[in-house]
Amino acid sequence: MRILLQNRQFSLVFMVSMLSVLGVEMARLALPLIVYEIQRSEMELSVLRGVVFLPNIVLAIFIGTINDRVRRVFALRFYLAAQAAILLCTAWALKDVAGGLGLVLTLVFFLMAFFYASGNVQTGLVQQAVPVSDLVTANALLSGFNSTISVFAPMAAGALLVLIGGSGTIVACAIALFAAMLFSALIRLEDSPKPKGNFLQDITDGLKAFASNRELVVMSLVVMIVNGAEGIYATMLIVLLKSNLGVGDFEVGVVLGLTGVGAVCGAWLTPYGRRAFGVAKTFAMPIVLVAGVYVGTAFSPNVAVVAALGFLEGLISTVFVVSLWTFRQETVERRYIGRVAGISGAIFKIGMPPLIILGGFVSTRYGVVYCLLFAALLNVLVFAALVPTRLWRYKSPVDGNPLPAG
């Protein structure tokens, strides 16, 4: 906690991240539940889940390049205001969702585009606010508290859906984004020198910077498949709970909240795992471990077992994610961070829409169990392909160093 108490600028970035994650996480839970309750279609639920990730794929490199050319603090304020406005429009659009998902899907696309843009900016702001020696602690702290919000957000969204309905819940999400915008007005950080070339040249320079980081390239390809498998798991978890086990919206929120509790524990453990095993192992080993969670979930007899496995999924996946974030910030120059984060972020998500939609097809045709087993198989195959690569043997100069205080 030292870094949070002593570094005012990081503390403000931290607060903005908390509020924006709260608003968007509640919306991300509420929207699928609202749509599934009305449409009762696994395929349409999968399409909605897939659209969430499209902006990362088609816009990420452009967003990253823009963020490297503008003042990041001002860009962050604009992105947060845009998200709040889109959520208000979505609350209105939900009144006619029974007539079709077209408008809702469009609004969700732009919501997630601006959410991704604000996250990209925050990556650069954290790198500016925190010395390299404290990056793993800062990222673990951000991930841990984001996960704490993820504990509260699903339960809050489930309770709000019961108390004030779908549109009211989305308005509450918009209020959280507006509060984040107000905190962002207090951030004061000096930006690195901005590119002076043309836009296409900036994109080319970003691509070269990414391609030269061979370990990050391999990581990105791995994450592309692992994220797709996790997207299948997250989507089918709702179907499993609602259709197979017959639980209500609030209970779904509680189960997802326990996943967040596991993520908090994972964030706390990551710095120690990094010191003991190195960044490559703490990135790779969770891939095969979480495959076991998917298999266990497929054959879970009741909600309690699903919830316990969800806790483990949150813990293991967070170790994976924090290791990835930290490696990227440690190995990419500040002037390229927006573009490289955009390029790698696009690759991270490119497998998610087709794999999630494929998961919806498998679930419709063969059932939820086979869909979860398919997700587990993807992870096992990726892990088997990763072990022979040089990434498995990679050791960062930071690996094995004593943990900073805090």
Side-chain angles (χ1 to χ4, degrees), residues 312-398:
L312 288 177
E313 196 275 338
L315 187 155
I316 296 166
S317 294
T318 299
V319 174
F320 173 81
V321 169
V322 173
S323 300
L324 172 66
W325 289 352
T326 303
F327 179 87
R328 185 170 62 185
Q329 288 171 325
E330 287 175 355
T331 60
V332 177
E333 291 183 54
R334 183 182 298 178
R335 59 182 172 150
Y336 294 122
I337 189 65
R339 283 164 282 178
V340 172
I343 295 163
S344 57
I347 297 172
F348 294 169
K349 304 297 184 182
I350 198 169
M352 296 192 78
L355 285 174
I356 290 172
I357 292 171
L358 177 60
F361 171 78
V362 172
S363 177
T364 302
R365 186 81 178 265
Y366 302 105
V368 175
V369 170
Y370 283 98
C371 193
L372 289 168
L373 293 178
F374 172 62
L377 178 63
L378 288 174
N379 273 29
V380 171
L381 292 175
V382 167
F383 179 78
L386 174 62
V387 170
T389 69
R390 74 182 214 169
L391 176 60
W392 178 257
R393 300 181 297 277
Y394 177 84
K395 186 172 180 62
S396 164
V398 181

Side-chain angles (χ1 to χ4, degrees), residues 7-85:
N7 189 326
R8 172 177 166 79
Q9 297 307 310
F10 175 71
S11 299
L12 290 169
V13 174
F14 176 89
M15 183 59 67
V16 169
S17 177
M18 296 303 97
L19 289 168
S20 62
V21 168
L22 173 62
V24 175
E25 283 296 318
M26 287 199 300
R28 287 179 66 173
L29 173 71
L31 285 170
L33 288 174
I34 295 165
V35 169
Y36 188 70
E37 193 68 30
I38 296 171
Q39 303 283 5
R40 286 290 169 179
S41 169
E42 294 169 14
M43 182 56 71
E44 291 195 2
L45 179 61
S46 296
V47 170
L48 177 61
R49 285 280 191 178
V51 167
V52 165
F53 304 106
L54 279 179
N56 294 51
I57 298 167
V58 301
L59 300 177
I61 179 58
F62 304 106
I63 289 171
T65 303
I66 291 169
N67 287 342
D68 279 342
R69 296 175 69 92
V70 301
R71 291 192 63 186
R72 291 190 175 107
V73 173
F74 286 105
L76 178 61
R77 294 170 194 165
F78 171 75
Y79 297 147
L80 292 168
Q83 290 172 73

Side-chain angles (χ1 to χ4, degrees), residues 89-259:
C89 293
T90 304
W92 173 80
L94 286 173
K95 296 177 181 179
D96 192 36
V97 72
L101 285 180
L103 179 57
V104 171
L105 291 175
T106 302
L107 290 168
V108 167
F109 176 87
F110 284 105
L111 171 67
M112 299 313 299
F114 285 113
F115 180 64
Y116 173 77
S118 64
N120 182 281
V121 165
Q122 289 172 54
T123 297
L125 292 176
V126 170
Q127 191 186 47
Q128 288 175 237
V130 177
V132 172
S133 60
D134 283 343
L135 277 175
V136 66
T137 302
N139 281 317
L141 191 62
L142 273 170
S143 180
F145 276 85
N146 280 342
S147 299
T148 302
I149 295 296
S150 298
V151 174
F152 171 74
M155 291 184 282
L160 288 173
L161 284 170
V162 173
L163 294 173
I164 60 177
S167 295
T169 300
I170 302 303
V171 170
C173 298
I175 293 172
L177 268 299
F178 180 74
M181 184 189 68
L182 295 179
F183 274 100
S184 72
L186 302 175
I187 297 174
R188 301 287 185 271
L189 285 171
E190 293 293 330
D191 281 322
S192 56
K194 299 302 176 186
K196 296 182 179 179
N198 62 54
F199 194 79
L200 291 178
Q201 183 60 48
D202 291 345
I203 292 176
T204 301
D205 291 343
L207 288 167
K208 289 179 180 178
F210 172 71
S212 66
N213 192 331
R214 293 180 61 184
E215 286 77 20
L216 183 59
V217 171
V218 174
M219 280 183 164
S220 300
L221 295 174
V222 167
V223 175
M224 177 180 68
I225 305 300
V226 172
N227 273 355
E230 195 279 334
I232 293 173
Y233 165 80
T235 303
M236 291 303 114
L237 185 61
I238 292 176
V239 177
L240 179 72
L241 290 169
K242 299 256 326 156
S243 295
N244 292 31
L245 298 177
V247 303
D249 290 345
F250 180 72
E251 289 81 4
V252 171
V254 171
V255 171
L256 297 181
L258 287 172
T259 301

